[in-house]
Structure formats: C-alpha cells, structure tokens
Amino acid sequence: MIRMLLRVLGHEYAAPMRRTVALMTVTAIAEGLSYALLVPVLRALFGSAPADAWPWLVAFGAAVAGYAVLRYVSDLAGMRVGTTLLRGMYHRLGDHLARLPIGWYTAGRVGEVSVLASRGLLAAMGVAAHLLAPFVAALVTPLTIVAVMLAFNWQMGLAALLAAPVVAVIQVRTARSTAAVDAERHRRDHEATGRVIEFLQAQPVLRAGGRAGERFGLLDDSLQEVARASRRQVVAAIPGALGLTLTVQAAFTGLLVLGTYLALGGTIGVAETLTILVLAARCADPLLSLSDIGGKLRGANSELVRLDAVLRTEPLPEAVDPVTPLGNGLEFESVTFRHGDRTVFDGVSLSVPDGQRLAVVGPSGAGKSTLLQLLARFYDVDAGAVRVGGVDVRVISTEELMSRMSIVFQDVYLFDATIEENVRLGRPSATDTEVRAAATAARLDEVVARLPGGWTTNVGEGGALLSGGERQRVSIARALLKDAPIVLLDEVTSALDPVNEAAVHDGIERLMAGRTVVMVAHRMRTVRRADQVAFVDGGRVVEAGSHDELLRRGGRYAEFWELSMATVTGD
Amino acid sequence: MNALLRAHLGSFTAVVVLQVIGAVAGLPPLLAVVELGRTLLSPDPVDHGRIWTVVIVGAIGLLVRLLFTATAAGIGHVLDSTVQLSFRRQLAAQLGRVPLGWFSRRRTGELAKVVGEDVSAVHPFIAHAPGELVSAFVVPVVSLGYLLTVDWRLTLITLIPVVLAVAHVPLLMTPRRTREQQDFDAAMGRIASSVVEFVQGIAVVKAFGGAGRAHRRFITAADEFLDTFYRWVRGVSAIAAGMQLALAPPFVLLVVLIGGAALITSGGMAPADLLPFLLLGLGLTAPVAALGHGFDDLQAAGRAVGRIQDVLAVPALPEPAHPVAPRGHRVELRGVRFGYEADHEVLRGIDLVLEPGTVTAVVGPSGSGKSTLVQLLPRFFDPTHGSVVLGGVDVREISAGDLYDAVSFVFQDVRLLRASVADNIALAVPHAEPDDVVRTARLANIHDRILELPRGYDTVLGDDVKLSGGEAQRIAIARALLAATPVLVLDEATAFADPHTELAVRQALSTLQGDRADRTVLVIAHRMETVVDADTVVVLENGSVVESGRPAELLARNGAFAAFWRSNQAIGADPR
C-alpha cells in the first residue's frame, strides 16, 4: 500500500512519508506503554495501601501528557504530508495528462479521468491524512498492550498473542476475497454512469418514442447490476468482519477464563488479573475497527492502482536536443500508422511546399483527419516520418511545433468562459484591439452583438450556448489571433449552413492567405482552389495532383466531383 | 423521499433493534470482569460456582453481540442497496418527466453525479447511521444508569472528558467555520469542473498549449482548493486535536483513576467499585466520538440528499388532467413566443399554419430560432405565450401518448442508444415485427450498411461499432419511417462526410417525406432543392417570420428570401 503510494507519488516524498509513519508508530507505542503504569496504580488501589498509588498516578499523568504531544504532532504531520502529497499529485497528474497523446483520450477515458482527477485523487491521498494514523494505532497499540501483558504475566500475554496471527491472516484474506467484488462494483458503477448520461442525452428521442415514462430498460438493468454488485460486496465482506469479531471476542473470553482460573489458583495477583482484563478490553475496540479501516484503505488503494495506471502511460517522447525547423513546408515520407490493430496509413507520401495549400479528399473513415493529427503530432507514426520545415516532428519541441500551427477542428470545444477569453486562448499576450480585430475578421462580432451579455457572455460547458456555426467562428478567430505560419483545417465548413458558411468564408480566406495550409474538406467546391488535391482511401493516397489534372484523369476524384455537383445543383 | 424511506420502515426498525440489542450485549462481558473483581477482592471466601457462572454469562453476552450486530450490519447493507436502487429509479423516472428545456441549463455530468455518486453518498445514512447512532446513545445511557448506582460522584467525574469534548463543538460551528466549509465545497466543485474541461478540451489545450499554461486552469483550481483546504484544516486542527485528546482512552482512564484514587484514599469508596468505571467509563464517550467520527460523512450525505431532493422537486412537464384527442393533423402556431431565459426571447410572436399533405420549409440565419421553433411541436418546450395547436387541440391538452403517436422527428444531432441496431430503429414502436424493421431500413438506405456490421441487426451500437453521422441519420430516418406518424419534423443535415453518404441520406429523406400523401411536414431546410420543392417557405429572422409563401412568389418579391437564395447561389456557383 505504502509502496504503491510512493510509486504513484514519486520517491521525493518517500522520506517525509516514512518520517510520518514512524511518528505515528511511536505515538501508538507510547499509548500502549502508558497503560503499563495501570498495573502498579491498580495494585496499590486494590491493595492495602491505596495512597501508594499517587506517585504512579503522577507518572501515568506525565505519560498521558507525552502521548498527547506526540499525537498532536503526528496528526499535524499526517495532515501536512497529506496536503503536500495532494498538491504534488495534482501537479504531477496535470502535467502528465497534458503530455499524453490525444489518441489516448477516447470518449470513455474522458469520464474516467475526470472522476479520477477530482474525487479519486482525494480518496487516494486521504490515506496519508486520515486513514494511516488510525490504522497504525489500531495495529500497534494492541500489540504494545500484548507486550505489556507478557511482561506482567506470560501465560495471559501468550494467550492474547495467539490472536495476533489469526487477525493478520483474516486481514490478508479479506483483502484478497473482496478485491474481485470491489473491482466488479467499480465496473458496474462506471457502466451505470454511462447509461445515465445516455439516458439524459437521449431524452428527446426517448420521449418521442414514448419510452421516458416507463422504466428505460437499458438504464434500469445497469442500475440493478449496481445494486447486485453492492450486495455481493456485502456478502464478500461478511466472513472477514465476522471472523475478526469472533477472533477478538474469543481471545477476550479466553483471557477471562484463564485469568479467573489463574487467580483462583493463586498463581497471579488479583490486581494483575483485573488490570490485564481491563487492558484486554482496551485492545478489543481498535482491533474491531480494523475491518472498517481496512475497507476504506482498500477503497483508497484501488484508486491508487487506477492513478498508477494513468501515470505509467507513456507520453510521446520529447527530443533531447530539439531542432528548430527553418521553413514551414510539410512532408509525409512513406508514413505508416496503426491505430490499435487497424492500419490507418500504409506508406503515404505527400509534400506541401511552404505557402501552398493541400486539400485532402476521400470517403468517410479514410483517415483524412488523422493526417492532420500526425502533422500536429497528436500521435507518432509507426514507420516513415512526418516533417515540418524539413525536420522530423519528433525532434521538434512540442512548444515549437504548436507555436507554428493553427488548427481549426470540425468539433470546436470551447471552455466555459467568456467569448473573449476563448478567443484570447489563441495568443494570451494579445491586446484587446487585436482580439477584437480577429473576432471581427471571423465575423464573430455579429454573434456577439446578438448575445445577451455581449463579449462577456459565458459560452457554457463545451460552448453549449452557441450553435455549431457560432462555435466555429470562435475557433477561427482564435486561429487568426494566433497567426501561425501553418494552418490545419479539419472539415471547417462542414457543420455550417450556407449562411454561416458565407460568414466564415472570409475568415478562412484570411487565415489561409500566405500560409501553408492542409485542409480536410468534403464541400468539394472549397477543394478546388487548393494548389494540390490528395484523394485518400484505404490507407493510401489514391490520386494526387491539381483539381484540373485530377478531373481530366477521370478517376475517383472526378467521380466524387460529379456526384457532389449533382447534389449541389439539384437533380 | 420520505415516502420512499417509509416504505422500508420495517427493515430500518429491525436494523436498529438488532443493533441496539447487540451493542447492549457488549456490556455483560465487561460486567463479568467487574463481578469477578468484586468477588476476588472481597475478604469473604471465594464462591467458585458463582464465579464460573459470571464468566459463562459474559461469554454468552459476547456471542449474542456478535450474532446481533452482524445480522444488523448485513440487513442494513442489503437495505442500503435496495434503497439506493429505488432512489435511482425514482430519479430516472423524474428526469424522464421534467421539461426538456430544464436540461439545457444543467450539465449532464452534474446530473449524472446526482444519480450516481450522490445516491451512493447516502450510504452512511441508511447502512450505518440508524443502528450505530442509536446504539451509540443507548449503550452509554444504560452504562450511565448502572454507574450511578455504583457511585454517583465518580460517575460525574467520569463525565468530565465528555463535557470537555462537547465544549469544543460550538467552536466548530462558528459562522467562520461554516464559511470555510462552504469555501471548501465550492473549491472542490471548481476542481471537478476544471478537470472535466481540461480533459475534454485536451485537443485545444494541446494545440494552443505552451507547456506551462496548457493546464493552468486545472492547476490553479487545484492550488486554490488546497489553499482552502489548508486554511480550513489549520482553523480546525487545534480544536479537533483538543476534542480528540479529551476522548482519547489514556486521558479518560487518567481522569477516572485520579477521581477513583481520591475517593478510595479518603475512604469514600470501596476499591472494587473502581472497576466498572475503568471498564464502562470509556464507553461513555461513544456518542461524542460517534458524532465526531461519522459527522463529516453524515454532513456529506445530507448535502447529497439535498441535491437529490432538488432534482426530485423540479416540477414535471404538466400532463393534461383531462386529455383531449387531436382531430386530424393540421398544425397551427398561434402568437407563439418563447425564451430560454426570461429576458431573452428567441421566438417573438410566430403565427403559422401547416396543412396536412404539405411541406413547409423554414429558412433563416443561425440563431434566428429555427431549431427552437420546430422543437415546440414535439413539446420539448412549451411556449411562454401563445399556443401550438395540433388537430384543433392545444398540444398541452393532448396526452403524451397521443402526441407522440402523431408527431415524429429527425434532428441533426442524432442520438443513438448503446443497444442493437434493431432496437434503435424500433425505439418508438417497441413491438415492431423484424420484417418491418428491415423494410424501413431498406427504405432509409441503411439496410446494406447494417448487413455489413459484425452481427447485422443485432450489432450493439457503441460497443461493437460506431456509425458515422450520415449513417446515424439514416437510422433516425428509419425510426421515423417505422413510426409512420402523420406529422413529421425534420432538421435537415448540413453536411456529410462524402458525396455518397449525402446522396443516400437525401434519397432516404425524400422517401420519408413522400410515404404518406397526407403527411404534415415541417423542415429546417439547408439545401436549396428542399426549399424549391416545398409548398411553403417561411423565412425566420431574429425570432420573427419576415416572409412566407410559395418559393416562386417569394423569389419574385425580391425580399429576404431572394437575398438568402442569392447568397446560396453565390457559394454554390463559386468561380470555376
């Protein structure tokens, strides 16, 4: 557990963590040892000279004071270490997430990581702040008390000690037997969350289908599975909890019987017997709390395991000696790229000279967008090379590479902030005038004028309060503001109706002027003005050349062109 | 909510009773030690038989405790999963009833959290609180009663730690602490939403990311959270430490021993009477400890219950008390006004008649209110003023069943369920014949594609395969074809991945529009041929109808529609 914690954290935290655990252990031992003083106190009080108890009581008082100080210091240390760990962890996870390749972020991952980074992290780090001290105390204090018993009466001490291995075995076995059901519960919870989100997002359709009133079967099934998994968890935890209680109680009963027997036989003083029984009662509570703490620790541990898995995912390697590209020409040289077990590209070669425009055309699923993503190094190729300004993107620093590119995606994600802030993301150092100029160029000013709060309107989560066309204009304004020499356009006008398309047309023209452009497009008429067209299908460049050349060739591109012209002008 | 809990009152009572019996049964073993001490310490000769009886009674007490607490915990946890399931079902049912407009102002993630985590957070309320809290009070009260009969002075002294601990409680409840607690919760919320943004916007983060500022928002939120956390902890740590120390067993024992020693040395108490205080005295702190221990969890559970209740309290979209069946399927919009927010109207007085057997095309710039307008028909929202009338009846007077038997729709943002293709098509007609499903899929131009899927019509979408936008749209068209309603609302797609897909969808759409001669069709048109073929064109600008009529008439009028037409032609006829 601690080892896992340290691995997740990084070893710079090992020393403070170890110090804290040591402090907690010392505190627990101090508590146990202080009870040793009960024996002389009670011997005096139960004996013929009760006043002899006072000096011992003073000693006990001093021991309690010492324990109090230790406890305060170790609690505080636990809290401080916990907070420090948490801070370190947030930064580490944040840095790591920013470095992971975009390809890693599938739809399911997004939800998973969100939960992990908010509550999961807190639960995992809670180990140091809240769970470790009670756990150490629940283990170490009873053991110390048993040692004290051994010192005063070996028979009773030995009897108490017998319980220790049984308790240990039960703890270990419980951990093992609950691991599977805990994982199952986590999986069911995850699945149910997915179903709830689906249920929420599909409300219009479900209602129109008359399905919202009745129980929605798919959701209800997954909710039932959660309930079932939670019951299985209860069942799996019962033997451990029962076994622990039984053991502790059997030990206490054993001590009671043994103590009575020994006292009646006269082998041990009455005061000693009674003190040991008082101490045995004192052991029971912390031991019984072990099953509760153990469950919480296991919960935290499974979060740690998930964190560890994320942190051990390798980001794309950064060049040790980054090279700065000199120009902005782009080149794919025999690029092979696999995604999972699917080969997306197989030996693709293309080049775009500095300042020219390449249009990528092809049927859906041909991997057109992936070409752009390889240029921006969202993924690394499996063979061949992608070059910018003649330099392999893998030896350009991420910062340098990104500073050279403006990317306008098909689906625009906006942050839940004002329109202005979203535009400014393109270049945080831009002046207000520059931001407004870029917005005007993207004809975003029309949108802003219509919004209730103008520039300061919050766009909602993911930009939900704007229409697709409006979001697109924000993203173009962002790219204009960034003013990078390379522009990647991913089906930019695809989601726009003709009016919106006309609106963003100027913006895009401005964005492309004098820059190296790669655009994925299926509005065939936007393709026509590219210097070069590449028709991609089946992981290969099937045809490449200028629009006119390809039309003359009468191949796949020409067929696409005919079809789309028929679509535009009507039957 | 209360009604829900009341349904399980029997189980709750059983848990509490079993738990209390179990907890009280924990006392005899301790009392056995007391009796043992009294007998052994008394100067009289030892009665062996009595001693062994005492030991046996103690052992039996332990066994009873074990059985009862274990049973209580088992029932409590099973009850917990049952109650959680019914909470979730109730929430799902409620979310299926609230007006759709309500969702647009909520984050899906937050609502999902209410159904998921918030219900889970109720766990301590259900599984632990009833039994454990009650026994945490019953056991000390019983012990206290017993101790009072032994020696009232030492009983009072034994209570000193409890009083000390309780004295700390008001310090934890000051307005400042409450505010810090709220800050803490708010900071926690910010961290959650910033991480969602960070992860969902990762592509943007990367594309514009300098190493430092890419995830600045996340890190800032995390740092703020920790600062708040630290402030809060620093504020309470001294108080909490004082409280914990007062309740710590060594301290309680010290107090009891000092009091006991004073009483014994002054001859005011028999030494054997000290024993019950040493054994039971610690238990007196249980209520305070239980409160402190579970307090955070219970508070969190309380807040979660609050959020659950907030969702359950949202008024459902009103269902008519006396539903009226529509007569025919002529649709009328009478003076319809609507705004998502009170001060911002999206539709500003729309009057429109849709005759059966006609196609009405709505055109207009983005943000003109087209999507909102067509969503009023299937009653995603109710107008704030005016009415939507179907077959002579206000849609608010029509039962949901009748309404959706009459109106179906295909919108751009097609939402497919993670279910089989067949189930997705038969969504509105759950008991459709497989043959009909296949027939409509053919008509929608998607049958061949479905057969290419790994398990044909049984392929589970999302799991086995992900469909493209154009394919999803054709599934939605098949869905509407199968429903075969007399009124159809369409939001035409603006773009497709490739010309082949576009052609397939267009053909499917014309099938859909033509398969019933008397169908009333309202379509948001993006393509000019749809507009040209329509019987009526309605031009919407800024929430008002600026022009309407036959396409040819409007073109001749040379107004808004003509301008729209020309802008389209300009794009379509880009210089060759």
Side-chain angles (χ1 to χ4, degrees):
Chain A
M1 176 86 197
I2 301 276
R3 213 175 306 131
M4 174 66 93
L5 193 65
L6 289 177
R7 182 162 84 202
V8 170
L9 284 166
H11 281 271
E12 68 266 34
Y13 293 103
M17 191 73 208
R18 234 174 260 134
R19 270 200 299 277
T20 309
V21 173
L23 200 55
M24 288 169 178
T25 312
V26 170
T27 309
I29 292 177
E31 182 185 351
L33 285 180
S34 75
Y35 294 137
L37 289 164
L38 286 181
V39 179
V41 170
L42 290 182
R43 195 188 280 147
L45 285 178
F46 292 152
S48 49
D52 289 354
W54 287 115
W56 291 112
L57 261 177
V58 171
F60 184 50
V64 171
Y67 158 75
V69 171
L70 274 172
R71 167 106 189 240
Y72 183 68
V73 172
S74 79
D75 276 4
L76 220 56
M79 203 56 101
R80 200 171 303 126
V81 165
T83 319
T84 315
L85 293 189
L86 196 55
R87 195 180 296 267
M89 208 55 228
Y90 273 124
H91 285 250
R92 180 144 183 231
L93 186 66
D95 294 347
H96 190 76
L97 288 177
R99 279 164 58 219
L100 282 175
I102 298 222
W104 184 82
Y105 289 94
T106 58
R109 285 263 167 72
V110 169
E112 224 169 292
V113 169
S114 305
V115 173
L116 192 61
S118 49
R119 280 168 300 277
L121 203 63
L122 209 58
M125 295 303 117
V127 171
H130 306 294
L131 292 176
L132 212 50
F135 185 68
V136 170
L139 271 183
V140 174
T141 305
L143 275 177
T144 316
I145 292 178
V146 169
V148 169
M149 289 182 189
L150 270 171
F152 284 99
N153 180 281
W154 67 268
Q155 291 102 323
M156 288 183 82
L158 202 61
L161 197 59
L162 280 180
V166 183
V167 169
V169 167
I170 288 172
Q171 282 297 101
V172 172
R173 288 200 62 144
T174 310
R176 217 170 287 154
S177 69
T178 49
V181 282
D182 286 350
E184 153 107 1
R185 170 69 193 270
H186 183 78
R187 209 177 58 241
R188 295 295 181 190
D189 275 344
H190 186 69
E191 196 178 291
T193 305
R195 283 295 184 197
V196 170
I197 289 174
E198 175 186 81
F199 177 72
L200 292 170
Q201 291 180 336
Q203 273 303 306
V205 165
L206 288 174
R207 289 188 192 197
R211 299 284 285 275
E214 68 182 272
R215 274 183 193 156
F216 176 48
L218 295 172
L219 172 63
D220 203 60
D221 289 350
S222 72
L223 292 182
Q224 283 191 45
E225 286 299 336
V226 170
R228 240 171 256 145
S230 122
R231 261 169 229 179
R232 271 195 288 274
Q233 267 182 315
V234 176
V235 172
I238 282 176
L242 218 58
L244 186 66
T245 317
L246 196 65
T247 311
V248 172
Q249 294 190 349
F252 184 78
T253 313
L255 284 177
L256 186 61
V257 173
L258 184 65
T260 310
Y261 176 76
L262 292 176
L264 288 177
T267 28
I268 177 175
V270 173
E272 278 84 356
T273 310
L274 294 175
T275 313
I276 286 176
L277 287 175
V278 168
L279 290 181
R282 196 71 287 291
C283 283
D285 286 341
L287 282 177
L288 289 178
S289 70
L290 267 182
S291 73
D292 192 32
I293 301 173
K296 285 185 182 154
L297 277 177
R298 282 193 294 277
N301 190 48
S302 56
E303 295 292 350
L304 271 182
V305 171
R306 283 190 276 274
L307 263 177
D308 187 50
V310 170
L311 288 174
R312 282 207 288 172
T313 308
E314 286 294 322
L316 298 181
E318 276 285 320
V320 186
D321 297 307
V323 180
T324 306
L326 292 173
N328 294 300
L330 307 171
E331 192 187 358
F332 290 86
E333 195 202 307
S334 325
V335 165
T336 297
F337 174 65
R338 278 182 283 275
H339 195 73
D341 46 7
R342 196 170 73 95
T343 302
V344 183
F345 295 117
D346 188 10
V348 165
S349 295
L350 276 173
S351 65
V352 190
D354 206 334
Q356 290 216 350
R357 296 179 192 177
L358 168 72
V360 183
V361 180
S364 63
K368 293 171 298 210
S369 303
T370 313
L371 273 183
L372 299 188
Q373 290 168 346
L374 289 177
L375 278 172
R377 207 182 167 211
F378 287 3
Y379 309 94
D380 273 342
V381 298
D382 291 293
V386 175
R387 296 200 185 90
V388 170
V391 179
D392 193 313
V393 289
R394 284 170 291 199
V395 296
I396 305 174
S397 75
T398 309
E399 215 154 325
E400 173 67 32
L401 186 66
M402 286 303 165
S403 73
R404 287 175 174 259
M405 291 181 181
S406 280
I407 313 174
V408 182
F409 298 98
Q410 182 181 16
D411 299 315
V412 179
Y413 186 88
L414 299 185
F415 291 96
D416 189 1
T418 65
I419 291 198
E420 183 164 0
E421 286 172 287
N422 268 294
V423 172
R424 194 180 284 277
L425 196 65
R427 181 153 49 95
S429 61
T431 64
D432 285 355
T433 324
E434 286 169 326
V435 172
R436 297 290 157 101
T440 310
R443 288 177 65 179
L444 188 59
D445 49 345
E446 297 166 11
V447 178
V448 170
R450 218 186 42 252
L451 291 170
W455 281 102
T456 53
T457 307
N458 251 54
V459 298
E461 185 187 41
L465 301 182
L466 298 184
S467 76
E470 292 167 341
R471 284 203 293 274
Q472 199 59 267
R473 293 192 212 184
V474 174
S475 128
I476 289 167
R478 201 187 260 170
L480 279 168
L481 188 65
K482 186 172 179 182
D483 195 23
I486 299 169
V487 173
L488 307 180
L489 302 172
D490 191 0
E491 312 199 359
V492 176
T493 54
S494 73
L496 305 184
D497 56 78
V499 180
N500 255 314
E501 186 172 346
V504 297
H505 204 255
D506 299 343
I508 291 177
E509 278 301 325
R510 261 176 238 221
L511 189 57
M512 295 195 294
R515 298 187 169 96
T516 311
V517 178
V518 179
M519 57 175 147
V520 169
H522 40 64
R523 286 268 158 126
M524 297 299 287
R525 50 182 183 261
T526 57
V527 170
R528 200 170 30 195
R529 288 206 265 158
D531 299 296
Q532 207 190 151
V533 177
F535 192 96
V536 181
D537 192 14
R540 295 173 171 280
V541 176
V542 183
E543 294 168 27
S546 74
H547 170 77
D548 292 333
E549 279 168 28
L550 292 185
L551 269 195
R552 275 197 301 276
R553 202 180 291 173
R556 297 284 304 278
Y557 177 78
E559 181 209 0
F560 249 54
W561 178 256
E562 295 303 325
L563 206 55
S564 72
M565 283 301 105
T567 314
V568 169
T569 50
D571 300 332
Chain B
M1 183 102 171
N2 288 331
L4 195 62
L5 292 180
R6 215 170 294 135
H8 300 286
L9 205 60
S11 307
F12 272 114
T13 319
V15 170
V16 171
V17 171
L18 288 170
Q19 176 76 38
V20 168
I21 295 177
V24 173
L27 292 177
L30 299 179
L31 293 177
V33 179
V34 172
E35 276 314 302
L36 187 68
R38 279 191 213 286
T39 319
L40 291 176
L41 287 173
S42 82
D44 307 333
V46 176
D47 176 352
H48 284 231
R50 177 177 149 76
I51 282 199
W52 287 116
T53 312
V54 163
V55 169
I56 288 169
V57 168
I60 289 175
L62 280 178
L63 206 61
V64 170
R65 168 178 145 147
L66 175 69
L67 288 178
F68 278 67
T69 43
T71 314
I75 297 179
H77 279 85
V78 170
L79 178 66
D80 176 51
S81 70
T82 312
V83 170
Q84 288 194 14
L85 178 61
S86 39
F87 271 12
R88 293 202 167 104
R89 280 180 165 160
Q90 211 189 5
L91 279 168
Q94 165 74 359
L95 290 169
R97 276 193 305 260
V98 298
L100 285 169
W102 184 79
F103 289 104
S104 61
R105 281 173 283 116
R106 300 261 164 345
R107 292 165 184 235
T108 311
E110 270 170 30
L111 286 175
K113 181 174 164 287
V114 173
V115 181
E117 285 169 44
D118 281 347
V119 173
S120 297
V122 176
H123 172 83
F125 253 165
I126 314 271
H128 298 282
E132 285 169 21
L133 280 184
V134 171
S135 46
F137 282 92
V138 171
V139 173
V141 168
V142 172
S143 313
L144 201 62
Y146 171 75
L147 292 179
L148 279 171
T149 65
V150 177
D151 189 291
W152 65 270
R153 292 160 301 183
L154 194 51
T155 308
L156 291 185
I157 292 172
T158 309
L159 284 174
I160 288 176
V162 177
V163 173
L164 279 178
V166 170
H168 284 86
V169 172
L171 297 177
L172 289 170
M173 308 262 186
T174 59
R176 175 144 169 240
R177 301 276 162 263
T178 316
R179 208 174 50 243
E180 278 171 358
Q181 169 80 39
Q182 283 162 350
D183 288 351
F184 175 77
D185 285 348
M188 181 81 213
R190 274 197 300 279
I191 219 171
S193 57
S194 77
V195 73
V196 169
E197 266 202 352
F198 175 44
V199 175
Q200 283 186 342
I202 192 78
V204 180
V205 164
K206 289 196 87 115
F208 291 97
R213 79 182 133 88
H215 53 300
R216 194 185 56 212
R217 279 168 76 102
F218 172 67
I219 295 295
T220 310
D223 284 346
E224 274 174 14
F225 167 72
L226 283 164
D227 292 341
T228 321
F229 179 65
Y230 208 71
R231 245 199 323 280
W232 181 61
V233 166
R234 216 178 34 213
V236 296
S237 69
I239 305 170
M243 198 163 162
Q244 279 170 354
L245 184 63
L247 298 176
F251 181 71
V252 179
L253 287 176
L254 181 65
V255 172
V256 171
L257 282 174
I258 290 174
L263 285 169
I264 293 171
T265 47
S266 67
M269 193 177 82
D273 284 344
L274 179 59
L275 265 181
F277 291 93
L278 291 176
L279 288 158
L280 300 182
L282 286 173
L284 292 185
T285 60
V288 189
L291 273 184
H293 178 66
F295 197 57
D296 289 345
D297 282 352
L298 280 183
Q299 269 194 326
R303 287 192 295 272
V305 167
R307 285 189 290 269
I308 293 171
Q309 275 171 332
D310 285 348
V311 172
L312 291 179
V314 176
L317 192 68
E319 273 280 311
H322 305 288
V324 182
R327 293 171 296 274
H329 46 275
R330 183 173 188 268
V331 177
E332 269 182 84
L333 276 74
R334 296 179 185 155
V336 166
R337 308 181 82 88
F338 178 78
Y340 296 95
E341 289 149 43
D343 57 344
H344 192 65
E345 269 195 336
V346 180
L347 298 176
R348 307 158 195 256
I350 307 272
D351 291 290
L352 204 61
V353 177
L354 315 175
E355 295 289 350
T358 67
V359 175
T360 305
V362 184
V363 298
S366 83
S368 60
K370 291 175 305 212
S371 306
T372 309
L373 178 72
V374 301
Q375 287 177 356
L376 293 179
L377 247 68
R379 219 182 154 200
F380 284 13
F381 310 97
D382 281 337
T384 35
H385 296 286
S387 55
V388 178
V389 176
L390 168 67
V393 183
D394 190 318
V395 290
R396 280 170 290 206
E397 301 294 311
I398 303 173
S399 73
D402 278 353
L403 182 64
Y404 293 126
D405 279 348
V407 182
S408 60
F409 56 86
V410 179
F411 289 152
Q412 276 210 50
D413 176 25
V414 176
R415 187 60 65 180
L416 295 179
L417 301 178
R418 200 155 62 83
S420 73
V421 175
D423 286 349
N424 265 291
I425 293 177
L427 190 70
V429 193
H431 303 295
E433 294 293 325
D435 286 353
D436 288 335
V437 172
V438 174
R439 181 181 57 81
T440 49
R442 265 187 220 282
L443 287 174
N445 257 333
I446 188 69
H447 175 71
D448 293 340
R449 173 73 184 110
I450 295 173
L451 292 188
E452 286 170 16
L453 298 177
R455 293 192 288 139
Y457 280 85
D458 295 326
T459 309
V460 175
L461 298 177
D463 277 3
D464 301 346
V465 72
K466 214 170 150 12
L467 293 184
S468 76
E471 290 160 352
Q473 190 128 30
R474 278 177 280 164
I475 297 276
I477 292 170
R479 203 182 259 171
L481 275 169
L482 189 64
T485 57
V487 180
L488 174 66
V489 182
L490 268 179
D491 187 354
E492 206 173 34
T494 50
F496 296 98
D498 62 62
H500 287 291
T501 313
E502 183 162 358
L503 197 63
V505 173
R506 276 187 48 216
Q507 285 169 351
L509 274 179
S510 34
T511 312
L512 183 56
Q513 288 176 28
D515 82 324
R516 250 184 97 136
D518 64 341
R519 183 168 276 168
T520 312
V521 181
L522 177 63
V523 54
I524 298 182
H526 294 299
R527 292 173 315 112
M528 290 324 282
E529 62 268 34
T530 313
V531 179
V532 173
D533 293 343
D535 298 288
T536 312
V537 174
V538 174
V539 184
L540 214 57
E541 257 172 39
N542 219 352
S544 307
V545 177
V546 290
E547 265 185 348
S548 74
R550 305 191 71 79
E553 282 168 29
L554 292 187
L555 210 51
R557 204 184 289 169
N558 205 19
F561 177 69
F564 174 78
W565 178 265
R566 278 194 302 272
S567 77
N568 260 288
Q569 294 304 89
I571 292 173
D574 231 19
R576 295 202 171 213

